[in-house]
Amino acid sequence: EPYPQSLMAYRQLLQKLPDDIELLESMVSICLKASYTDEACEYMEQILGLNPERLDIREKLIALYRERLNYPKLRKHLEEMLAQSTNVSADLMADYIDTLIHSESPEKAISYLQQAKETFPVLSMLIWRIILIFIIVGRLRICPFSKAVRLI
C-alpha cells in the first residue's frame, strides 16, 4: 500500500509548507487514487483559497460534489464558476438549475433565480426552464403563469 505511506510523508511536509500549491496538488492526486475523496476535496478547497482562478480545480470539485450529492458545496462552486466565466456553458447552467431544484423549495429556487438575474444575466433566458420543470413534476404550489410573467 504505497498511498498511505505517501500520504503520511506529504502530510508532514504540508505542516511545514501549508501554502505550497504543488504539494497540495500532489496530495489531491494521492488522495483520489487512494479513494480518500473527502480529504482530496479539502486540499482542493485549500488550493482555491490560495488561487481562486484555478478553474480546473473548481471543475474537479464540482464533479466530486455532484457525485456525492453535496448540494450546498456544489451550489457554492457553481456560483463561483458563474461569477468567473464570461461564456457559461449549457452544462454549467443545467448543473446550477439542478442544484437549485434539489437544494431549495420551488418558491425559493425561483425567488433566488430572480435575484440572481442581476448577478448572472445569462439566467434571464433560463428561468422559464426551471418553472417548467417544477410544473411538470408538480412541485410548484403558486400560480405558475403570474409568477412566470414577473420573472421573465
Side-chain angles (χ1 to χ4, degrees), residues 109-128:
I110 291 171
S111 172
Y112 181 80
L113 281 172
Q114 184 171 7
Q115 293 170 8
K117 280 195 317 188
E118 300 302 316
T119 308
F120 314 122
V122 71
L123 289 176
S124 298
M125 54 192 210
L126 296 172
I127 289 176
W128 63 271

Side-chain angles (χ1 to χ4, degrees), residues 6-17 23 27:
S6 298
L7 278 173
M8 293 299 280
Y10 276 97
R11 284 180 186 140
Q12 290 173 351
L13 208 54
L14 264 177
Q15 288 177 349
K16 296 176 185 171
L17 304 166
L23 187 57
M27 286 297 289

Side-chain angles (χ1 to χ4, degrees), residues 1-113:
E1 291 188 23
Y3 296 124
Q5 290 175 343
S6 298
L7 278 173
M8 293 299 280
Y10 276 97
R11 284 180 186 140
Q12 290 173 351
L13 208 54
L14 264 177
Q15 288 177 349
K16 296 176 185 171
L17 304 166
D19 295 340
D20 187 315
I21 290 180
E22 288 181 23
L23 187 57
L24 289 165
E25 288 174 340
S26 295
M27 286 297 289
V28 168
S29 179
I30 293 168
C31 287
L32 289 175
K33 287 176 183 170
S35 297
Y36 297 154
T37 309
D38 290 338
E39 191 173 347
C41 289
E42 289 174 24
Y43 293 125
M44 285 188 270
E45 293 280 4
Q46 281 183 267
I47 292 169
L48 288 173
L50 296 168
N51 185 356
E53 306 294 313
R54 290 290 303 271
L55 296 181
D56 59 322
I57 297 294
R58 195 170 307 281
E59 287 171 355
K60 285 181 187 176
L61 268 175
I62 287 171
L64 289 170
Y65 289 145
R66 183 186 319 111
E67 182 180 298
R68 300 171 76 73
L69 304 178
N70 187 332
Y71 292 111
K73 289 187 178 182
L74 178 59
R75 179 176 169 181
K76 172 190 173 228
H77 287 286
L78 286 168
E79 288 175 350
E80 288 292 326
M81 287 283 288
L82 286 168
Q84 289 178 345
S85 300
T86 54
N87 186 11
V88 178
S89 72
D91 288 341
L92 183 63
M93 287 309 309
D95 277 348
Y96 185 61
I97 290 171
D98 187 58
T99 300
L100 285 176
I101 289 169
H102 285 92
S103 64
E104 301 287 351
S105 69
E107 293 84 0
K108 281 186 179 179
I110 291 171
S111 172
Y112 181 80
L113 281 172

